[in-house]
Structure formats: C-alpha cells, structure tokens
C-alpha cells in the first residue's frame, strides 16, 4: 500500500504522495543553502552632483525592485509642511503660495537628528521634530522677486539646497507696495506619504547580462536556482537636492538591509 496523505482544500479531497512532499522539502533546503552563500552587494560606477549610476549584484529581481521603491518613497527627508500666513498682498493666493513653499528642496543630511511628527510628544511642532522658516518682505521698488534667499531660519543644517548657488528658486514676485509675512515649518517625512519628501525625481533599473563576476546566464541545471538569485542590475536616478546621490544609495541600502533582516 502506497503511503499517502489527504488534504482538504475548498471542500474537495485531494491525495498527495508523502514521498513527493519530502522531495520538495529536500529541494527547498538545498536552494536555501545556495541562497545563504550569496551576498548582495552594490558598486557605484558613475556619480555626479545630481545623478548617479550603480550596480546591485547577487540579488533577485524582487529585491532590486524593492530597493527602487525604497529609494523613491522611504528615505526620510525634510519638507515644508505647515505655513502660517500673516500678510499676503501678492497676486498668488495663500494656498498656491503654501504649495510652492512645500516643493522647495531642503538639505536633509542631518534629518536623522529630528523625529517624525507622529513620534514626537508635542501637539503640533517643536525643536525636536521641526524647523521654522520666516519670510517678511515689503516691496519698495517697482518689482521684487521673493526667492529662497528670503527664507530666514535659525537652523544651521536644514537649509534650502540652493543656498550656495547664485540662481535661487523664485517663490513669488511682488510689485510696489505688496508684502508677504509668514512662518513656514519644515517636518520630516517620506515620499510614500507625499512626493514632496521624495529624494529623487526619477529612478530606473535594468538587468545586466554580464558584469565582472556576475553572470546571469544559466548554464547548468544545478545552478538554475542559484543564478536566479545572482542577477546584476544597473540603477540610475536623479537627485532633487535634499541629499547627495551617494547618501541616497547608502540610506536606501541600509533600509533594505534592515527589511531583509526582519524576514530571516
């Protein structure tokens, strides 16, 4: 009599040989041992002030896609979240002005020193979770551009990313007699909740057939599973300005490592 087990699925009786289940378990253990010997790594191959290309090696397509999503939507940055407008006699409405302020990239290299709002004990804002910016300008000439240069803050770390550039971001334009006075509060967030916190404007990846010691072609039957987890992917992205490209790669890989550890 052949040994068998009975499995009830959706009200139907299905017979499955125990021998087949044992073989599948043995196969799974062999595959897992191959996975344990595989080490995911990355290598930056081209980096500039706002763009970066790097290779992700020895991983599956799912892991590569997870890193893509992490870089775009889960790296913390700073962005203006609250705007308290006291006076605004310009042509832009309060809502439009607040929206323009929220899209200004802020240097976020030291954002790790601040808390997320939902983790802070304050009611709305405090020094532990936010940074305030002020604008108080009255136009006395025929025309005046309000730029990021007019965003005044006491913080030495969280600043508009173009602080050292000659070309400033234009926020608004005033005519003679018009004025703006407001307080804008920047908070820490991630792109998953709002794209203003996304550190990159675009990111893509593609599989590379052969790169150094990483070969994606499956030559032997015993290496089919191994090769599926030893693929190489070329990533390319463009930074918006909150973080330097090297910081984006490092932070993205760190978040991916933490996520993979929770699955082990």
């Amino acid at each position: 009599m052949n040994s068998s087990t009975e499995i009830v699925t959706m009200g139907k009786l299905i017979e499955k040989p125990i021998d087949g289940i044992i073989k599948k378990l043995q196969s799974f253990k062999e595959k897992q041992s191959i996975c344990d010997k595989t080490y995911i790594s990355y290598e930056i191959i081209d980096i500039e002030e706002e763009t970066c290309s790097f290779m992700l090696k020895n991983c599956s397509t799912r892991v590569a896609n997870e890193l893509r999503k992490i870089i775009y939507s889960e790296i913390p940055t700073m962005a203006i979240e609250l705007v308290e407008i006291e006076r605004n006699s310009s042509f832009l409405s309060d809502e439009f002005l607040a929206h323009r302020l929220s899209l200004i990239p802020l240097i976020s290299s030291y954002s790790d020193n601040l808390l997320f709002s939902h983790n802070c004990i304050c009611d709305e804002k405090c020094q532990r979770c936010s940074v305030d910016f002020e604008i108080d300008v009255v136009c006395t000439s025929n025309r005046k551009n309000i730029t990021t240069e007019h965003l005044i803050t006491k913080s030495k770390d969280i600043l508009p990313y173009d602080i050292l550039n000659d070309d400033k971001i234009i926020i608004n334009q005033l005519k003679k007699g018009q004025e703006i006075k407001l307080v804008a509060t920047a908070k820490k967030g991630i792109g998953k909740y709002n794209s203003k916190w996304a550190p990159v404007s675009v990111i893509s990846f593609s599989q590379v057939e052969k790169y150094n010691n990483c070969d994606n072609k499956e030559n032997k039957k015993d290496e089919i599973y191994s090769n599926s987890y030893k693929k190489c992917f070329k990533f390319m992205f463009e930074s918006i300005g909150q973080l330097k490209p090297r910081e984006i790669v490092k932070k993205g890989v760190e978040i991916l490592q933490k996520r993979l550890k929770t699955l082990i």
Side-chain angles (χ1 to χ4, degrees), residues 234-251:
K234 182 179 180 180
F235 281 74
M236 293 183 291
F237 67 83
E238 182 178 354
S239 170
I240 294 176
Q242 302 100 316
L243 297 170
K244 295 180 179 179
R246 194 178 297 274
E247 289 179 305
I248 293 174
V249 177
K250 183 180 178 182
K251 288 178 180 290

mmCIF file of all heavy atoms in Angstrom, residues 234-251:
data_model
loop_
_atom_site.group_PDB
_atom_site.id
_atom_site.type_symbol
_atom_site.label_atom_id
_atom_site.label_comp_id
_atom_site.label_asym_id
_atom_site.label_seq_id
_atom_site.Cartn_x
_atom_site.Cartn_y
_atom_site.Cartn_z
ATOM 1 N N LYS A 234 21.518 47.409 -13.098
ATOM 2 C CA LYS A 234 22.081 48.751 -13.167
ATOM 3 C C LYS A 234 20.993 49.757 -12.812
ATOM 4 O O LYS A 234 19.953 49.810 -13.458
ATOM 5 C CB LYS A 234 22.631 49.043 -14.562
ATOM 6 C CG LYS A 234 23.276 50.413 -14.678
ATOM 7 C CD LYS A 234 23.837 50.653 -16.073
ATOM 8 C CE LYS A 234 24.492 52.028 -16.179
ATOM 9 N NZ LYS A 234 25.033 52.279 -17.534
ATOM 10 N N PHE A 235 21.246 50.553 -11.776
ATOM 11 C CA PHE A 235 20.316 51.578 -11.325
ATOM 12 C C PHE A 235 20.788 52.951 -11.796
ATOM 13 O O PHE A 235 21.990 53.225 -11.819
ATOM 14 C CB PHE A 235 20.227 51.597 -9.792
ATOM 15 C CG PHE A 235 19.359 50.527 -9.212
ATOM 16 C CD1 PHE A 235 19.784 49.209 -9.170
ATOM 17 C CD2 PHE A 235 18.099 50.827 -8.705
ATOM 18 C CE1 PHE A 235 18.993 48.218 -8.623
ATOM 19 C CE2 PHE A 235 17.299 49.846 -8.168
ATOM 20 C CZ PHE A 235 17.738 48.537 -8.121
ATOM 21 N N MET A 236 19.845 53.790 -12.149
ATOM 22 C CA MET A 236 20.129 55.179 -12.487
ATOM 23 C C MET A 236 19.050 56.063 -11.864
ATOM 24 O O MET A 236 17.867 55.745 -11.945
ATOM 25 C CB MET A 236 20.152 55.377 -14.008
ATOM 26 C CG MET A 236 21.307 54.678 -14.709
ATOM 27 S SD MET A 236 21.348 54.993 -16.490
ATOM 28 C CE MET A 236 19.893 54.087 -17.014
ATOM 29 N N PHE A 237 19.466 57.155 -11.223
ATOM 30 C CA PHE A 237 18.492 58.068 -10.637
ATOM 31 C C PHE A 237 19.022 59.498 -10.660
ATOM 32 O O PHE A 237 20.216 59.743 -10.846
ATOM 33 C CB PHE A 237 18.141 57.660 -9.199
ATOM 34 C CG PHE A 237 19.265 57.787 -8.207
ATOM 35 C CD1 PHE A 237 19.562 58.998 -7.598
ATOM 36 C CD2 PHE A 237 20.026 56.681 -7.866
ATOM 37 C CE1 PHE A 237 20.584 59.124 -6.679
ATOM 38 C CE2 PHE A 237 21.068 56.785 -6.951
ATOM 39 C CZ PHE A 237 21.341 58.004 -6.351
ATOM 40 N N GLU A 238 18.096 60.433 -10.460
ATOM 41 C CA GLU A 238 18.433 61.856 -10.418
ATOM 42 C C GLU A 238 17.952 62.436 -9.100
ATOM 43 O O GLU A 238 16.762 62.341 -8.770
ATOM 44 C CB GLU A 238 17.790 62.603 -11.585
ATOM 45 C CG GLU A 238 18.128 64.077 -11.628
ATOM 46 C CD GLU A 238 17.517 64.785 -12.818
ATOM 47 O OE1 GLU A 238 16.927 64.105 -13.682
ATOM 48 O OE2 GLU A 238 17.618 66.025 -12.878
ATOM 49 N N SER A 239 18.854 63.024 -8.359
ATOM 50 C CA SER A 239 18.524 63.598 -7.060
ATOM 51 C C SER A 239 17.834 64.951 -7.228
ATOM 52 O O SER A 239 18.182 65.730 -8.116
ATOM 53 C CB SER A 239 19.796 63.749 -6.220
ATOM 54 O OG SER A 239 19.541 64.509 -5.059
ATOM 55 N N ILE A 240 16.875 65.235 -6.347
ATOM 56 C CA ILE A 240 16.197 66.532 -6.367
ATOM 57 C C ILE A 240 17.043 67.584 -5.670
ATOM 58 O O ILE A 240 17.022 68.750 -6.048
ATOM 59 C CB ILE A 240 14.804 66.422 -5.717
ATOM 60 C CG1 ILE A 240 13.906 65.516 -6.574
ATOM 61 C CG2 ILE A 240 14.169 67.800 -5.548
ATOM 62 C CD1 ILE A 240 12.545 65.276 -5.977
ATOM 63 N N GLY A 241 17.807 67.176 -4.663
ATOM 64 C CA GLY A 241 18.687 68.126 -3.992
ATOM 65 C C GLY A 241 18.748 67.999 -2.481
ATOM 66 O O GLY A 241 19.652 68.544 -1.857
ATOM 67 N N GLN A 242 17.781 67.299 -1.872
ATOM 68 C CA GLN A 242 17.802 67.194 -0.408
ATOM 69 C C GLN A 242 19.016 66.410 0.095
ATOM 70 O O GLN A 242 19.603 66.731 1.128
ATOM 71 C CB GLN A 242 16.528 66.507 0.108
ATOM 72 C CG GLN A 242 15.250 67.194 -0.282
ATOM 73 C CD GLN A 242 14.601 66.504 -1.464
ATOM 74 O OE1 GLN A 242 15.279 66.160 -2.423
ATOM 75 N NE2 GLN A 242 13.299 66.316 -1.397
ATOM 76 N N LEU A 243 19.372 65.359 -0.634
ATOM 77 C CA LEU A 243 20.505 64.505 -0.263
ATOM 78 C C LEU A 243 21.440 64.357 -1.447
ATOM 79 O O LEU A 243 21.006 64.406 -2.603
ATOM 80 C CB LEU A 243 20.008 63.122 0.171
ATOM 81 C CG LEU A 243 19.121 63.054 1.418
ATOM 82 C CD1 LEU A 243 18.522 61.657 1.553
ATOM 83 C CD2 LEU A 243 19.914 63.403 2.672
ATOM 84 N N LYS A 244 22.706 64.137 -1.163
ATOM 85 C CA LYS A 244 23.666 63.868 -2.218
ATOM 86 C C LYS A 244 23.439 62.450 -2.745
ATOM 87 O O LYS A 244 22.985 61.569 -2.002
ATOM 88 C CB LYS A 244 25.088 64.019 -1.684
ATOM 89 C CG LYS A 244 25.427 65.442 -1.263
ATOM 90 C CD LYS A 244 26.846 65.541 -0.740
ATOM 91 C CE LYS A 244 27.179 66.969 -0.335
ATOM 92 N NZ LYS A 244 28.552 67.090 0.209
ATOM 93 N N PRO A 245 23.736 62.207 -4.023
ATOM 94 C CA PRO A 245 23.497 60.876 -4.598
ATOM 95 C C PRO A 245 24.123 59.733 -3.794
ATOM 96 O O PRO A 245 23.503 58.689 -3.623
ATOM 97 C CB PRO A 245 24.119 60.988 -5.993
ATOM 98 C CG PRO A 245 24.001 62.431 -6.337
ATOM 99 C CD PRO A 245 24.207 63.160 -5.051
ATOM 100 N N ARG A 246 25.324 59.926 -3.287
ATOM 101 C CA ARG A 246 25.974 58.869 -2.508
ATOM 102 C C ARG A 246 25.207 58.575 -1.217
ATOM 103 O O ARG A 246 25.102 57.419 -0.791
ATOM 104 C CB ARG A 246 27.410 59.259 -2.196
ATOM 105 C CG ARG A 246 28.275 58.109 -1.677
ATOM 106 C CD ARG A 246 29.699 58.566 -1.446
ATOM 107 N NE ARG A 246 30.327 58.989 -2.680
ATOM 108 C CZ ARG A 246 30.947 58.164 -3.518
ATOM 109 N NH1 ARG A 246 30.989 56.865 -3.253
ATOM 110 N NH2 ARG A 246 31.507 58.619 -4.620
ATOM 111 N N GLU A 247 24.659 59.631 -0.603
ATOM 112 C CA GLU A 247 23.869 59.444 0.616
ATOM 113 C C GLU A 247 22.585 58.682 0.309
ATOM 114 O O GLU A 247 22.146 57.843 1.116
ATOM 115 C CB GLU A 247 23.517 60.801 1.220
ATOM 116 C CG GLU A 247 24.673 61.547 1.838
ATOM 117 C CD GLU A 247 24.269 62.895 2.401
ATOM 118 O OE1 GLU A 247 23.702 63.703 1.638
ATOM 119 O OE2 GLU A 247 24.499 63.143 3.593
ATOM 120 N N ILE A 248 21.986 58.954 -0.838
ATOM 121 C CA ILE A 248 20.744 58.280 -1.219
ATOM 122 C C ILE A 248 20.972 56.784 -1.374
ATOM 123 O O ILE A 248 20.195 55.965 -0.878
ATOM 124 C CB ILE A 248 20.187 58.883 -2.522
ATOM 125 C CG1 ILE A 248 19.742 60.331 -2.285
ATOM 126 C CG2 ILE A 248 19.033 58.054 -3.061
ATOM 127 C CD1 ILE A 248 19.315 61.065 -3.534
ATOM 128 N N VAL A 249 22.056 56.414 -2.046
ATOM 129 C CA VAL A 249 22.363 54.989 -2.228
ATOM 130 C C VAL A 249 22.609 54.322 -0.874
ATOM 131 O O VAL A 249 22.073 53.250 -0.588
ATOM 132 C CB VAL A 249 23.592 54.814 -3.141
ATOM 133 C CG1 VAL A 249 23.954 53.336 -3.262
ATOM 134 C CG2 VAL A 249 23.326 55.390 -4.519
ATOM 135 N N LYS A 250 23.405 54.961 -0.044
ATOM 136 C CA LYS A 250 23.749 54.391 1.261
ATOM 137 C C LYS A 250 22.511 54.203 2.132
ATOM 138 O O LYS A 250 22.310 53.131 2.719
ATOM 139 C CB LYS A 250 24.757 55.301 1.971
ATOM 140 C CG LYS A 250 25.227 54.753 3.310
ATOM 141 C CD LYS A 250 26.222 55.694 3.964
ATOM 142 C CE LYS A 250 26.651 55.173 5.329
ATOM 143 N NZ LYS A 250 27.591 56.099 6.009
ATOM 144 N N LYS A 251 21.677 55.235 2.221
ATOM 145 C CA LYS A 251 20.476 55.147 3.055
ATOM 146 C C LYS A 251 19.497 54.114 2.503
ATOM 147 O O LYS A 251 18.862 53.372 3.265
ATOM 148 C CB LYS A 251 19.794 56.516 3.157
ATOM 149 C CG LYS A 251 20.550 57.525 4.010
ATOM 150 C CD LYS A 251 19.835 58.863 4.028
ATOM 151 C CE LYS A 251 20.574 59.883 4.884
ATOM 152 N NZ LYS A 251 20.489 59.565 6.319
#
